[in-house]
Structures are given as structure tokens and as C-alpha cells.
Amino acid sequence: MSGPSRIGDLELSQDLDFHRREIRGEKIGWAVMLLVVLAALLGLFGSGPLSTGEARTPDGRLEAEYNRFARYMAPAELRLTFRPEAVREGQVQVWLSRDYLQHMVIQKVIPEPDSVQLDGPRLIYTFNVRQGTQSGDLVFELETEAIGRLNGSLGLMEPTGAAQGAGFSTFIYP
Amino acid sequence: MDAVLRSAAIYLFLLLIFRVAGKRTLTQITTFDFVLLLIISEVTQQAMIGDDFSITQAVLAIVTLVGLDISLSLWKQRSPRVERLIDSVPVLILENGQPIKERMEQLRIDESDILNAARELQGLERLDQIKYAILERSGNISVIPRPNAGG
């Protein structure tokens, strides 16, 4: 860019090319802002209709509702629903992958688990259930502690070991 | 570390958003603009320091913001292109009493804005008393009267 140029009696460093580009840039920026707002309303930045995902173990005895999108240091929730067939001897045993929970702070588990066991890459939660319980919800209230994509898996425990689980993943915005 | 990164991210984001909003956004602060400004500052404050209310965190955030401002001004001095990109360019919007409609529309300025500036700055009454009106980088309108504007 040269110095100020003369326009009539006026010394002015006017650059109409740049001005036009700037106006176009502004318009594009407005469009982007609109898209961001729409995406936020749909839940692509966490909290919204598209922000909750569902996973299910292959045998269908355990379903999970998880956050597809969450935000750093914000609350997240993992809601497990077990079918009556999942109850054995008055107990439901659920395993969760540790690499998921490592980057989450567990604020609360509802109901309180009867015991938590460490099993290599898994954590095993045991809940006492009254006989004849139809099905129930187990809610893990979490707070995110990392940024980026987090992969996790969960499933039921069998007497023979961990049953095949379901995978899920959460993307955490900074 | 995160105070520095957060402040830098907020600084750059605000720079971008106010560039996109256009030059005139916060120049003539109406009551509502003022409220908007207060809300924005409140929201950014939380994003910058999070839930760490230590003096250290505040100092780091302020040093980062002012530091970025200084380095940006140094960079602008070195490179006219960067200056243009960050501060925009002045645009002539009225010549010899004739408003340049197309540019005014692009910049979201109407004749009453020019008249307002002419009254405030020069005590002029009509458009034909104005020789040049320029929308400056700052978003203010500067007005140059015709030599015989008094008549």
C-alpha cells in the first residue's frame, strides 16, 4: 500500500478495493455467526436436541445415554438403564472403561453403588437391587476434566467376566 | 499457563467479532450499546479467569491482554497490510455535497448520521455545506466544510 493519495483536495489513504473486500468479509462473518447460533440451538456445542447419544450393549440388557458434546469443566451425565434380565442375585454389576472416567470428575453416582472394584482397564460398579425390580436407571453425574475426544465403553459383568460392551465417545469443547 | 491462553483466545476472538460487526458498532454508544458492552465484559471475564480468583490469575490475564495490544501495535507499525487488516481503512462517503450512496449503504450510514456529525463538529446545517465527509477507521465521521459554508 502506498502512502496517502490525493482525492480532490483531500489527502486520504483510501483503498476502495480493500473496503469492498472488507464488506464481503463482514457478510461472510455474519453468515458464520448465524450458523454458529443455529448449531448451538441444535446442540452441537453441548446441551440441545443433538447433543445426547445413545449406546446399547449387543444383548440389549443395558442402554446408555451419554453426552456427544460437552464443554470443558462443565457438568456431563452418563445415564445407564438396565433391563430386568441384567439383575443377578439381587445385584447389577456394570463395568465402565477407566480411560473415560480418568478425564472426568465423578460428582455423584445415583443410587450409591454398593462397591467399586478395579479390574485392569475397567471399573466395576455393583448396585444392590431388590428382587422383582423391573428396570432402573443408574446416573453418573460427571464434570469434564479434559479437552478433545474421549472414547469410552461400558457393559455388564457376567460371572465369567466382562460381557461384551458398547462403545461411545464424547467430544469436549475448550 | 491457562490464564495466558484463555486471555489470548478471548482477545483474538473479540478482535475478530468487532471487525465483523463493522466500524460503526461501538462508536456512537447508545444506551443499549452500553448495556451490551457491560454484558460482554461480564461474560468474557468469566471465560478468561475461570473459577480461579487469585491475584496471580488476574495479573496474568491483564499482562497478556496489554502485551498482545502492544505487540499488535508494533506489528501494525511495521506492516501497513496488518494495519489495514486490523484497523480497516478510511472511506470517503460524501464529496462536494453529494452523498456517495453505494458506499454509505455498504457501511450502514445514512444522511442523518452525516448531518449529525456536521452539526456536532462544524455547526453546519445542510449537506450542501459539506465538502467532504469521511468515515474514519475509528468509525467516527469527520466533516470538512466548504469554504463558503457560512453563507
Side-chain angles (χ1 to χ4, degrees), chain A residues 1 7-10 13-16 18-19 21-23 26 29-30 33, chain B residues 19-20 22-23 84 88-92 95 103 106-108 131-132 134 144:
Chain A
M1 196 173 92
I7 301 164
D9 294 335
L10 202 59
S13 51
Q14 184 171 258
D15 183 343
L16 286 176
F18 181 81
H19 161 71
R21 281 206 301 276
E22 188 181 38
I23 298 295
E26 256 178 42
W30 297 350
M33 279 163 83
Chain B
R19 263 324 247 117
V20 165
K23 281 204 274 272
R84 219 173 44 177
S88 182
V89 289
V91 179
L92 190 66
E95 203 169 3
R103 293 179 202 167
Q106 288 170 334
L107 294 162
R108 286 170 283 155
K131 190 175 179 186
Y132 296 116
I134 301 121
I144 294 151

PDB file of all heavy atoms in Angstrom, chain A residues 1 7-10 13-16 18-19 21-23 26 29-30 33, chain B residues 19-20 22-23 84 88-92 95 103 106-108 131-132 134 144:
ATOM      1  N   MET A   1       0.845  -1.187   0.000  1.00  0.00           N
ATOM      2  CA  MET A   1       0.000   0.000   0.000  1.00  0.00           C
ATOM      3  C   MET A   1       0.881   1.238   0.000  1.00  0.00           C
ATOM      4  O   MET A   1       1.825   1.344   0.777  1.00  0.00           O
ATOM      5  CB  MET A   1      -0.885  -0.022   1.242  1.00  0.00           C
ATOM      6  CG  MET A   1      -2.050   0.939   1.178  1.00  0.00           C
ATOM      7  SD  MET A   1      -3.130   0.681   2.601  1.00  0.00           S
ATOM      8  CE  MET A   1      -2.454   1.852   3.757  1.00  0.00           C
ATOM      9  N   ILE A   7      -7.377  12.907  -3.317  1.00  0.00           N
ATOM     10  CA  ILE A   7      -8.713  12.800  -3.875  1.00  0.00           C
ATOM     11  C   ILE A   7      -9.256  14.215  -3.830  1.00  0.00           C
ATOM     12  O   ILE A   7      -9.619  14.713  -2.765  1.00  0.00           O
ATOM     13  CB  ILE A   7      -9.602  11.864  -3.037  1.00  0.00           C
ATOM     14  CG1 ILE A   7      -8.972  10.471  -2.980  1.00  0.00           C
ATOM     15  CG2 ILE A   7     -11.005  11.801  -3.624  1.00  0.00           C
ATOM     16  CD1 ILE A   7      -9.523   9.598  -1.913  1.00  0.00           C
ATOM     17  N   GLY A   8      -9.290  14.889  -4.972  1.00  0.00           N
ATOM     18  CA  GLY A   8      -9.639  16.303  -4.970  1.00  0.00           C
ATOM     19  C   GLY A   8      -8.619  17.063  -4.135  1.00  0.00           C
ATOM     20  O   GLY A   8      -7.420  16.995  -4.394  1.00  0.00           O
ATOM     21  N   ASP A   9      -9.078  17.764  -3.119  1.00  0.00           N
ATOM     22  CA  ASP A   9      -8.160  18.496  -2.246  1.00  0.00           C
ATOM     23  C   ASP A   9      -7.751  17.666  -1.028  1.00  0.00           C
ATOM     24  O   ASP A   9      -7.075  18.166  -0.137  1.00  0.00           O
ATOM     25  CB  ASP A   9      -8.837  19.784  -1.735  1.00  0.00           C
ATOM     26  CG  ASP A   9      -9.098  20.735  -2.881  1.00  0.00           C
ATOM     27  OD1 ASP A   9      -8.370  20.635  -3.897  1.00  0.00           O
ATOM     28  OD2 ASP A   9     -10.016  21.566  -2.759  1.00  0.00           O
ATOM     29  N   LEU A  10      -8.190  16.423  -1.026  1.00  0.00           N
ATOM     30  CA  LEU A  10      -8.060  15.645   0.208  1.00  0.00           C
ATOM     31  C   LEU A  10      -6.900  14.660   0.097  1.00  0.00           C
ATOM     32  O   LEU A  10      -6.774  13.962  -0.905  1.00  0.00           O
ATOM     33  CB  LEU A  10      -9.372  14.883   0.421  1.00  0.00           C
ATOM     34  CG  LEU A  10      -9.738  14.414   1.803  1.00  0.00           C
ATOM     35  CD1 LEU A  10      -9.833  15.587   2.757  1.00  0.00           C
ATOM     36  CD2 LEU A  10     -11.047  13.679   1.756  1.00  0.00           C
ATOM     37  N   SER A  13      -5.630   8.084   2.602  1.00  0.00           N
ATOM     38  CA  SER A  13      -5.144   6.754   2.204  1.00  0.00           C
ATOM     39  C   SER A  13      -6.348   5.825   2.044  1.00  0.00           C
ATOM     40  O   SER A  13      -6.529   4.882   2.792  1.00  0.00           O
ATOM     41  CB  SER A  13      -4.157   6.210   3.232  1.00  0.00           C
ATOM     42  OG  SER A  13      -4.711   6.299   4.520  1.00  0.00           O
ATOM     43  N   GLN A  14      -7.158   6.159   1.055  1.00  0.00           N
ATOM     44  CA  GLN A  14      -8.350   5.354   0.813  1.00  0.00           C
ATOM     45  C   GLN A  14      -7.963   4.152  -0.029  1.00  0.00           C
ATOM     46  O   GLN A  14      -7.132   4.250  -0.913  1.00  0.00           O
ATOM     47  CB  GLN A  14      -9.384   6.200   0.078  1.00  0.00           C
ATOM     48  CG  GLN A  14     -10.689   5.487  -0.138  1.00  0.00           C
ATOM     49  CD  GLN A  14     -11.755   6.428  -0.675  1.00  0.00           C
ATOM     50  OE1 GLN A  14     -12.615   6.877   0.051  1.00  0.00           O
ATOM     51  NE2 GLN A  14     -11.666   6.727  -1.950  1.00  0.00           N
ATOM     52  N   ASP A  15      -8.574   3.017   0.260  1.00  0.00           N
ATOM     53  CA  ASP A  15      -8.284   1.808  -0.511  1.00  0.00           C
ATOM     54  C   ASP A  15      -9.614   1.116  -0.757  1.00  0.00           C
ATOM     55  O   ASP A  15     -10.072   0.310   0.031  1.00  0.00           O
ATOM     56  CB  ASP A  15      -7.326   0.910   0.289  1.00  0.00           C
ATOM     57  CG  ASP A  15      -6.919  -0.326  -0.495  1.00  0.00           C
ATOM     58  OD1 ASP A  15      -7.601  -0.644  -1.487  1.00  0.00           O
ATOM     59  OD2 ASP A  15      -5.934  -0.969  -0.109  1.00  0.00           O
ATOM     60  N   LEU A  16     -10.234   1.486  -1.889  1.00  0.00           N
ATOM     61  CA  LEU A  16     -11.599   1.000  -2.122  1.00  0.00           C
ATOM     62  C   LEU A  16     -11.644  -0.498  -2.369  1.00  0.00           C
ATOM     63  O   LEU A  16     -12.623  -1.160  -2.032  1.00  0.00           O
ATOM     64  CB  LEU A  16     -12.230   1.751  -3.291  1.00  0.00           C
ATOM     65  CG  LEU A  16     -12.640   3.181  -2.948  1.00  0.00           C
ATOM     66  CD1 LEU A  16     -13.154   3.901  -4.165  1.00  0.00           C
ATOM     67  CD2 LEU A  16     -13.679   3.198  -1.841  1.00  0.00           C
ATOM     68  N   PHE A  18      -9.791  -2.689  -0.858  1.00  0.00           N
ATOM     69  CA  PHE A  18      -9.813  -3.302   0.476  1.00  0.00           C
ATOM     70  C   PHE A  18     -11.174  -3.109   1.127  1.00  0.00           C
ATOM     71  O   PHE A  18     -11.699  -4.013   1.778  1.00  0.00           O
ATOM     72  CB  PHE A  18      -8.718  -2.706   1.362  1.00  0.00           C
ATOM     73  CG  PHE A  18      -8.680  -3.322   2.727  1.00  0.00           C
ATOM     74  CD1 PHE A  18      -8.045  -4.536   2.931  1.00  0.00           C
ATOM     75  CD2 PHE A  18      -9.326  -2.719   3.799  1.00  0.00           C
ATOM     76  CE1 PHE A  18      -8.044  -5.126   4.178  1.00  0.00           C
ATOM     77  CE2 PHE A  18      -9.329  -3.316   5.049  1.00  0.00           C
ATOM     78  CZ  PHE A  18      -8.679  -4.506   5.233  1.00  0.00           C
ATOM     79  N   HIS A  19     -11.736  -1.920   0.942  1.00  0.00           N
ATOM     80  CA  HIS A  19     -13.049  -1.629   1.519  1.00  0.00           C
ATOM     81  C   HIS A  19     -14.087  -2.636   1.026  1.00  0.00           C
ATOM     82  O   HIS A  19     -14.880  -3.165   1.801  1.00  0.00           O
ATOM     83  CB  HIS A  19     -13.451  -0.197   1.153  1.00  0.00           C
ATOM     84  CG  HIS A  19     -14.901   0.082   1.277  1.00  0.00           C
ATOM     85  ND1 HIS A  19     -15.535   0.174   2.497  1.00  0.00           N
ATOM     86  CD2 HIS A  19     -15.866   0.268   0.338  1.00  0.00           C
ATOM     87  CE1 HIS A  19     -16.827   0.416   2.287  1.00  0.00           C
ATOM     88  NE2 HIS A  19     -17.042   0.472   0.991  1.00  0.00           N
ATOM     89  N   ARG A  21     -13.514  -5.675  -0.179  1.00  0.00           N
ATOM     90  CA  ARG A  21     -13.205  -6.990   0.404  1.00  0.00           C
ATOM     91  C   ARG A  21     -13.686  -7.064   1.848  1.00  0.00           C
ATOM     92  O   ARG A  21     -14.188  -8.084   2.305  1.00  0.00           O
ATOM     93  CB  ARG A  21     -11.689  -7.245   0.359  1.00  0.00           C
ATOM     94  CG  ARG A  21     -11.190  -7.676  -1.000  1.00  0.00           C
ATOM     95  CD  ARG A  21      -9.918  -8.502  -0.872  1.00  0.00           C
ATOM     96  NE  ARG A  21      -8.828  -7.773  -0.200  1.00  0.00           N
ATOM     97  CZ  ARG A  21      -8.017  -6.934  -0.814  1.00  0.00           C
ATOM     98  NH1 ARG A  21      -8.146  -6.695  -2.101  1.00  0.00           N
ATOM     99  NH2 ARG A  21      -7.048  -6.326  -0.153  1.00  0.00           N
ATOM    100  N   GLU A  22     -13.503  -5.944   2.530  1.00  0.00           N
ATOM    101  CA  GLU A  22     -13.896  -5.897   3.935  1.00  0.00           C
ATOM    102  C   GLU A  22     -15.409  -6.099   4.090  1.00  0.00           C
ATOM    103  O   GLU A  22     -15.866  -6.835   4.951  1.00  0.00           O
ATOM    104  CB  GLU A  22     -13.485  -4.547   4.508  1.00  0.00           C
ATOM    105  CG  GLU A  22     -13.647  -4.431   5.997  1.00  0.00           C
ATOM    106  CD  GLU A  22     -13.229  -3.053   6.484  1.00  0.00           C
ATOM    107  OE1 GLU A  22     -13.501  -2.055   5.788  1.00  0.00           O
ATOM    108  OE2 GLU A  22     -12.638  -2.984   7.558  1.00  0.00           O
ATOM    109  N   ILE A  23     -16.166  -5.418   3.216  1.00  0.00           N
ATOM    110  CA  ILE A  23     -17.623  -5.546   3.281  1.00  0.00           C
ATOM    111  C   ILE A  23     -18.026  -6.992   3.014  1.00  0.00           C
ATOM    112  O   ILE A  23     -18.897  -7.553   3.684  1.00  0.00           O
ATOM    113  CB  ILE A  23     -18.296  -4.598   2.252  1.00  0.00           C
ATOM    114  CG1 ILE A  23     -17.970  -3.143   2.582  1.00  0.00           C
ATOM    115  CG2 ILE A  23     -19.787  -4.813   2.196  1.00  0.00           C
ATOM    116  CD1 ILE A  23     -18.537  -2.647   3.891  1.00  0.00           C
ATOM    117  N   GLU A  26     -17.284  -9.021   6.002  1.00  0.00           N
ATOM    118  CA  GLU A  26     -18.302  -8.789   7.039  1.00  0.00           C
ATOM    119  C   GLU A  26     -19.517  -9.668   6.807  1.00  0.00           C
ATOM    120  O   GLU A  26     -20.025 -10.309   7.718  1.00  0.00           O
ATOM    121  CB  GLU A  26     -18.745  -7.320   6.999  1.00  0.00           C
ATOM    122  CG  GLU A  26     -18.168  -6.477   8.103  1.00  0.00           C
ATOM    123  CD  GLU A  26     -18.608  -5.018   7.977  1.00  0.00           C
ATOM    124  OE1 GLU A  26     -19.794  -4.777   7.678  1.00  0.00           O
ATOM    125  OE2 GLU A  26     -17.758  -4.132   8.187  1.00  0.00           O
ATOM    126  N   GLY A  29     -18.809 -13.142   7.627  1.00  0.00           N
ATOM    127  CA  GLY A  29     -18.760 -13.257   9.088  1.00  0.00           C
ATOM    128  C   GLY A  29     -20.148 -13.357   9.693  1.00  0.00           C
ATOM    129  O   GLY A  29     -20.381 -14.154  10.606  1.00  0.00           O
ATOM    130  N   TRP A  30     -21.088 -12.561   9.152  1.00  0.00           N
ATOM    131  CA  TRP A  30     -22.457 -12.614   9.678  1.00  0.00           C
ATOM    132  C   TRP A  30     -23.054 -13.996   9.443  1.00  0.00           C
ATOM    133  O   TRP A  30     -23.732 -14.546  10.308  1.00  0.00           O
ATOM    134  CB  TRP A  30     -23.347 -11.567   9.003  1.00  0.00           C
ATOM    135  CG  TRP A  30     -22.922 -10.166   9.237  1.00  0.00           C
ATOM    136  CD1 TRP A  30     -21.966  -9.737  10.134  1.00  0.00           C
ATOM    137  CD2 TRP A  30     -23.398  -8.988   8.577  1.00  0.00           C
ATOM    138  NE1 TRP A  30     -21.836  -8.377  10.056  1.00  0.00           N
ATOM    139  CE2 TRP A  30     -22.695  -7.883   9.119  1.00  0.00           C
ATOM    140  CE3 TRP A  30     -24.344  -8.750   7.581  1.00  0.00           C
ATOM    141  CZ2 TRP A  30     -22.922  -6.581   8.694  1.00  0.00           C
ATOM    142  CZ3 TRP A  30     -24.571  -7.446   7.163  1.00  0.00           C
ATOM    143  CH2 TRP A  30     -23.868  -6.379   7.715  1.00  0.00           C
ATOM    144  N   MET A  33     -21.709 -16.353  11.914  1.00  0.00           N
ATOM    145  CA  MET A  33     -22.324 -16.152  13.235  1.00  0.00           C
ATOM    146  C   MET A  33     -23.693 -16.806  13.299  1.00  0.00           C
ATOM    147  O   MET A  33     -24.050 -17.449  14.297  1.00  0.00           O
ATOM    148  CB  MET A  33     -22.445 -14.658  13.532  1.00  0.00           C
ATOM    149  CG  MET A  33     -21.156 -14.044  14.028  1.00  0.00           C
ATOM    150  SD  MET A  33     -21.160 -12.253  13.912  1.00  0.00           S
ATOM    151  CE  MET A  33     -22.021 -11.807  15.390  1.00  0.00           C
TER     152      MET A  33
ATOM    153  N   ARG B  19     -14.519  -6.732  14.326  1.00  0.00           N
ATOM    154  CA  ARG B  19     -14.188  -6.439  12.931  1.00  0.00           C
ATOM    155  C   ARG B  19     -15.360  -6.845  12.043  1.00  0.00           C
ATOM    156  O   ARG B  19     -15.724  -6.139  11.108  1.00  0.00           O
ATOM    157  CB  ARG B  19     -12.952  -7.234  12.502  1.00  0.00           C
ATOM    158  CG  ARG B  19     -11.642  -6.596  12.536  1.00  0.00           C
ATOM    159  CD  ARG B  19     -11.530  -5.163  12.186  1.00  0.00           C
ATOM    160  NE  ARG B  19     -10.786  -5.001  10.944  1.00  0.00           N
ATOM    161  CZ  ARG B  19     -11.297  -4.485   9.856  1.00  0.00           C
ATOM    162  NH1 ARG B  19     -12.536  -4.093   9.828  1.00  0.00           N
ATOM    163  NH2 ARG B  19     -10.568  -4.345   8.770  1.00  0.00           N
ATOM    164  N   VAL B  20     -15.941  -7.995  12.357  1.00  0.00           N
ATOM    165  CA  VAL B  20     -17.073  -8.497  11.574  1.00  0.00           C
ATOM    166  C   VAL B  20     -18.302  -7.619  11.787  1.00  0.00           C
ATOM    167  O   VAL B  20     -19.085  -7.383  10.877  1.00  0.00           O
ATOM    168  CB  VAL B  20     -17.368  -9.969  11.948  1.00  0.00           C
ATOM    169  CG1 VAL B  20     -18.731 -10.391  11.449  1.00  0.00           C
ATOM    170  CG2 VAL B  20     -16.302 -10.876  11.378  1.00  0.00           C
ATOM    171  N   GLY B  22     -18.387  -4.538  12.165  1.00  0.00           N
ATOM    172  CA  GLY B  22     -18.278  -3.302  11.387  1.00  0.00           C
ATOM    173  C   GLY B  22     -17.772  -2.142  12.228  1.00  0.00           C
ATOM    174  O   GLY B  22     -17.841  -2.152  13.453  1.00  0.00           O
ATOM    175  N   LYS B  23     -17.307  -1.124  11.504  1.00  0.00           N
ATOM    176  CA  LYS B  23     -16.652   0.015  12.152  1.00  0.00           C
ATOM    177  C   LYS B  23     -17.564   0.801  13.082  1.00  0.00           C
ATOM    178  O   LYS B  23     -17.130   1.368  14.061  1.00  0.00           O
ATOM    179  CB  LYS B  23     -16.156   0.986  11.071  1.00  0.00           C
ATOM    180  CG  LYS B  23     -14.873   0.569  10.414  1.00  0.00           C
ATOM    181  CD  LYS B  23     -14.169   1.764   9.839  1.00  0.00           C
ATOM    182  CE  LYS B  23     -14.670   2.084   8.452  1.00  0.00           C
ATOM    183  NZ  LYS B  23     -13.955   1.368   7.410  1.00  0.00           N
ATOM    184  N   ARG B  84      -4.071  -2.330   8.001  1.00  0.00           N
ATOM    185  CA  ARG B  84      -5.313  -2.295   7.251  1.00  0.00           C
ATOM    186  C   ARG B  84      -6.253  -3.397   7.721  1.00  0.00           C
ATOM    187  O   ARG B  84      -7.452  -3.200   7.881  1.00  0.00           O
ATOM    188  CB  ARG B  84      -4.972  -2.520   5.784  1.00  0.00           C
ATOM    189  CG  ARG B  84      -5.751  -1.692   4.819  1.00  0.00           C
ATOM    190  CD  ARG B  84      -5.202  -1.869   3.433  1.00  0.00           C
ATOM    191  NE  ARG B  84      -4.927  -3.269   3.127  1.00  0.00           N
ATOM    192  CZ  ARG B  84      -4.485  -3.695   1.953  1.00  0.00           C
ATOM    193  NH1 ARG B  84      -4.253  -2.835   1.002  1.00  0.00           N
ATOM    194  NH2 ARG B  84      -4.258  -4.978   1.739  1.00  0.00           N
ATOM    195  N   SER B  88      -8.771  -1.410   9.537  1.00  0.00           N
ATOM    196  CA  SER B  88      -9.573  -1.015   8.381  1.00  0.00           C
ATOM    197  C   SER B  88      -9.014   0.250   7.718  1.00  0.00           C
ATOM    198  O   SER B  88      -7.913   0.694   8.032  1.00  0.00           O
ATOM    199  CB  SER B  88     -11.019  -0.801   8.811  1.00  0.00           C
ATOM    200  OG  SER B  88     -11.796  -0.472   7.699  1.00  0.00           O
ATOM    201  N   VAL B  89      -9.768   0.815   6.782  1.00  0.00           N
ATOM    202  CA  VAL B  89      -9.302   1.990   6.044  1.00  0.00           C
ATOM    203  C   VAL B  89     -10.364   3.077   6.104  1.00  0.00           C
ATOM    204  O   VAL B  89     -11.541   2.789   6.259  1.00  0.00           O
ATOM    205  CB  VAL B  89      -9.040   1.644   4.553  1.00  0.00           C
ATOM    206  CG1 VAL B  89      -7.811   0.778   4.401  1.00  0.00           C
ATOM    207  CG2 VAL B  89     -10.246   0.974   3.934  1.00  0.00           C
ATOM    208  N   PRO B  90      -9.932   4.364   5.979  1.00  0.00           N
ATOM    209  CA  PRO B  90     -10.935   5.437   5.912  1.00  0.00           C
ATOM    210  C   PRO B  90     -11.620   5.407   4.547  1.00  0.00           C
ATOM    211  O   PRO B  90     -11.009   5.037   3.554  1.00  0.00           O
ATOM    212  CB  PRO B  90     -10.104   6.702   6.092  1.00  0.00           C
ATOM    213  CG  PRO B  90      -8.729   6.340   5.672  1.00  0.00           C
ATOM    214  CD  PRO B  90      -8.563   4.880   5.929  1.00  0.00           C
ATOM    215  N   VAL B  91     -12.883   5.786   4.517  1.00  0.00           N
ATOM    216  CA  VAL B  91     -13.632   5.763   3.253  1.00  0.00           C
ATOM    217  C   VAL B  91     -14.355   7.096   3.084  1.00  0.00           C
ATOM    218  O   VAL B  91     -15.024   7.575   4.004  1.00  0.00           O
ATOM    219  CB  VAL B  91     -14.659   4.603   3.230  1.00  0.00           C
ATOM    220  CG1 VAL B  91     -15.438   4.617   1.925  1.00  0.00           C
ATOM    221  CG2 VAL B  91     -13.969   3.274   3.412  1.00  0.00           C
ATOM    222  N   LEU B  92     -14.220   7.665   1.898  1.00  0.00           N
ATOM    223  CA  LEU B  92     -14.924   8.906   1.571  1.00  0.00           C
ATOM    224  C   LEU B  92     -16.395   8.581   1.332  1.00  0.00           C
ATOM    225  O   LEU B  92     -16.716   7.714   0.514  1.00  0.00           O
ATOM    226  CB  LEU B  92     -14.299   9.494   0.303  1.00  0.00           C
ATOM    227  CG  LEU B  92     -14.709  10.898  -0.092  1.00  0.00           C
ATOM    228  CD1 LEU B  92     -14.221  11.900   0.932  1.00  0.00           C
ATOM    229  CD2 LEU B  92     -14.148  11.233  -1.463  1.00  0.00           C
ATOM    230  N   GLU B  95     -18.914  13.793  -1.222  1.00  0.00           N
ATOM    231  CA  GLU B  95     -17.994  14.669  -1.933  1.00  0.00           C
ATOM    232  C   GLU B  95     -18.765  15.844  -2.489  1.00  0.00           C
ATOM    233  O   GLU B  95     -19.745  15.655  -3.211  1.00  0.00           O
ATOM    234  CB  GLU B  95     -17.319  13.875  -3.067  1.00  0.00           C
ATOM    235  CG  GLU B  95     -16.011  14.455  -3.487  1.00  0.00           C
ATOM    236  CD  GLU B  95     -15.233  13.511  -4.422  1.00  0.00           C
ATOM    237  OE1 GLU B  95     -15.752  12.433  -4.772  1.00  0.00           O
ATOM    238  OE2 GLU B  95     -14.108  13.880  -4.781  1.00  0.00           O
ATOM    239  N   ARG B 103     -21.469   3.476  -1.138  1.00  0.00           N
ATOM    240  CA  ARG B 103     -20.563   3.237  -0.003  1.00  0.00           C
ATOM    241  C   ARG B 103     -21.291   3.413   1.328  1.00  0.00           C
ATOM    242  O   ARG B 103     -21.045   2.685   2.278  1.00  0.00           O
ATOM    243  CB  ARG B 103     -19.373   4.193  -0.069  1.00  0.00           C
ATOM    244  CG  ARG B 103     -18.474   3.906  -1.248  1.00  0.00           C
ATOM    245  CD  ARG B 103     -17.337   4.887  -1.280  1.00  0.00           C
ATOM    246  NE  ARG B 103     -16.776   4.984  -2.623  1.00  0.00           N
ATOM    247  CZ  ARG B 103     -15.935   5.942  -2.996  1.00  0.00           C
ATOM    248  NH1 ARG B 103     -15.576   6.883  -2.134  1.00  0.00           N
ATOM    249  NH2 ARG B 103     -15.457   5.977  -4.210  1.00  0.00           N
ATOM    250  N   GLN B 106     -23.164   0.306   2.064  1.00  0.00           N
ATOM    251  CA  GLN B 106     -22.278  -0.773   2.499  1.00  0.00           C
ATOM    252  C   GLN B 106     -21.850  -0.588   3.954  1.00  0.00           C
ATOM    253  O   GLN B 106     -21.701  -1.553   4.695  1.00  0.00           O
ATOM    254  CB  GLN B 106     -21.026  -0.800   1.616  1.00  0.00           C
ATOM    255  CG  GLN B 106     -21.281  -1.304   0.212  1.00  0.00           C
ATOM    256  CD  GLN B 106     -20.080  -1.084  -0.680  1.00  0.00           C
ATOM    257  OE1 GLN B 106     -19.282  -0.186  -0.454  1.00  0.00           O
ATOM    258  NE2 GLN B 106     -19.961  -1.907  -1.709  1.00  0.00           N
ATOM    259  N   LEU B 107     -21.676   0.667   4.325  1.00  0.00           N
ATOM    260  CA  LEU B 107     -21.174   0.943   5.672  1.00  0.00           C
ATOM    261  C   LEU B 107     -22.294   1.176   6.681  1.00  0.00           C
ATOM    262  O   LEU B 107     -22.044   1.473   7.842  1.00  0.00           O
ATOM    263  CB  LEU B 107     -20.254   2.172   5.638  1.00  0.00           C
ATOM    264  CG  LEU B 107     -18.961   1.971   4.861  1.00  0.00           C
ATOM    265  CD1 LEU B 107     -18.345   3.297   4.495  1.00  0.00           C
ATOM    266  CD2 LEU B 107     -17.990   1.130   5.675  1.00  0.00           C
ATOM    267  N   ARG B 108     -23.528   1.051   6.213  1.00  0.00           N
ATOM    268  CA  ARG B 108     -24.707   1.236   7.079  1.00  0.00           C
ATOM    269  C   ARG B 108     -24.716   2.631   7.731  1.00  0.00           C
ATOM    270  O   ARG B 108     -24.866   2.774   8.938  1.00  0.00           O
ATOM    271  CB  ARG B 108     -24.762   0.142   8.142  1.00  0.00           C
ATOM    272  CG  ARG B 108     -25.182  -1.209   7.576  1.00  0.00           C
ATOM    273  CD  ARG B 108     -25.002  -2.305   8.586  1.00  0.00           C
ATOM    274  NE  ARG B 108     -23.602  -2.681   8.711  1.00  0.00           N
ATOM    275  CZ  ARG B 108     -23.073  -3.222   9.777  1.00  0.00           C
ATOM    276  NH1 ARG B 108     -23.814  -3.431  10.837  1.00  0.00           N
ATOM    277  NH2 ARG B 108     -21.800  -3.552   9.808  1.00  0.00           N
ATOM    278  N   LYS B 131     -17.992  19.791   2.213  1.00  0.00           N
ATOM    279  CA  LYS B 131     -17.142  19.496   1.066  1.00  0.00           C
ATOM    280  C   LYS B 131     -16.823  17.996   1.028  1.00  0.00           C
ATOM    281  O   LYS B 131     -17.023  17.346   0.021  1.00  0.00           O
ATOM    282  CB  LYS B 131     -15.847  20.306   1.169  1.00  0.00           C
ATOM    283  CG  LYS B 131     -14.999  20.250  -0.078  1.00  0.00           C
ATOM    284  CD  LYS B 131     -13.808  21.173   0.061  1.00  0.00           C
ATOM    285  CE  LYS B 131     -12.936  21.110  -1.192  1.00  0.00           C
ATOM    286  NZ  LYS B 131     -11.707  21.889  -1.010  1.00  0.00           N
ATOM    287  N   TYR B 132     -16.318  17.505   2.146  1.00  0.00           N
ATOM    288  CA  TYR B 132     -16.025  16.079   2.231  1.00  0.00           C
ATOM    289  C   TYR B 132     -16.523  15.530   3.564  1.00  0.00           C
ATOM    290  O   TYR B 132     -16.419  16.211   4.585  1.00  0.00           O
ATOM    291  CB  TYR B 132     -14.511  15.815   2.189  1.00  0.00           C
ATOM    292  CG  TYR B 132     -13.836  16.220   0.906  1.00  0.00           C
ATOM    293  CD1 TYR B 132     -12.871  17.221   0.908  1.00  0.00           C
ATOM    294  CD2 TYR B 132     -14.138  15.577  -0.290  1.00  0.00           C
ATOM    295  CE1 TYR B 132     -12.233  17.591  -0.255  1.00  0.00           C
ATOM    296  CE2 TYR B 132     -13.510  15.948  -1.460  1.00  0.00           C
ATOM    297  CZ  TYR B 132     -12.561  16.953  -1.451  1.00  0.00           C
ATOM    298  OH  TYR B 132     -11.941  17.318  -2.597  1.00  0.00           O
ATOM    299  N   ILE B 134     -15.884  11.871   5.667  1.00  0.00           N
ATOM    300  CA  ILE B 134     -15.090  10.636   5.636  1.00  0.00           C
ATOM    301  C   ILE B 134     -15.452   9.781   6.839  1.00  0.00           C
ATOM    302  O   ILE B 134     -15.530  10.299   7.966  1.00  0.00           O
ATOM    303  CB  ILE B 134     -13.571  10.952   5.680  1.00  0.00           C
ATOM    304  CG1 ILE B 134     -13.169  11.832   4.495  1.00  0.00           C
ATOM    305  CG2 ILE B 134     -12.744   9.664   5.673  1.00  0.00           C
ATOM    306  CD1 ILE B 134     -12.570  13.131   4.922  1.00  0.00           C
ATOM    307  N   ILE B 144     -15.512  18.023   6.522  1.00  0.00           N
ATOM    308  CA  ILE B 144     -14.766  19.200   6.105  1.00  0.00           C
ATOM    309  C   ILE B 144     -15.750  20.142   5.408  1.00  0.00           C
ATOM    310  O   ILE B 144     -16.368  19.763   4.412  1.00  0.00           O
ATOM    311  CB  ILE B 144     -13.607  18.819   5.166  1.00  0.00           C
ATOM    312  CG1 ILE B 144     -12.598  17.989   5.971  1.00  0.00           C
ATOM    313  CG2 ILE B 144     -12.934  20.064   4.587  1.00  0.00           C
ATOM    314  CD1 ILE B 144     -11.823  17.025   5.192  1.00  0.00           C
TER     315      ILE B 144
END
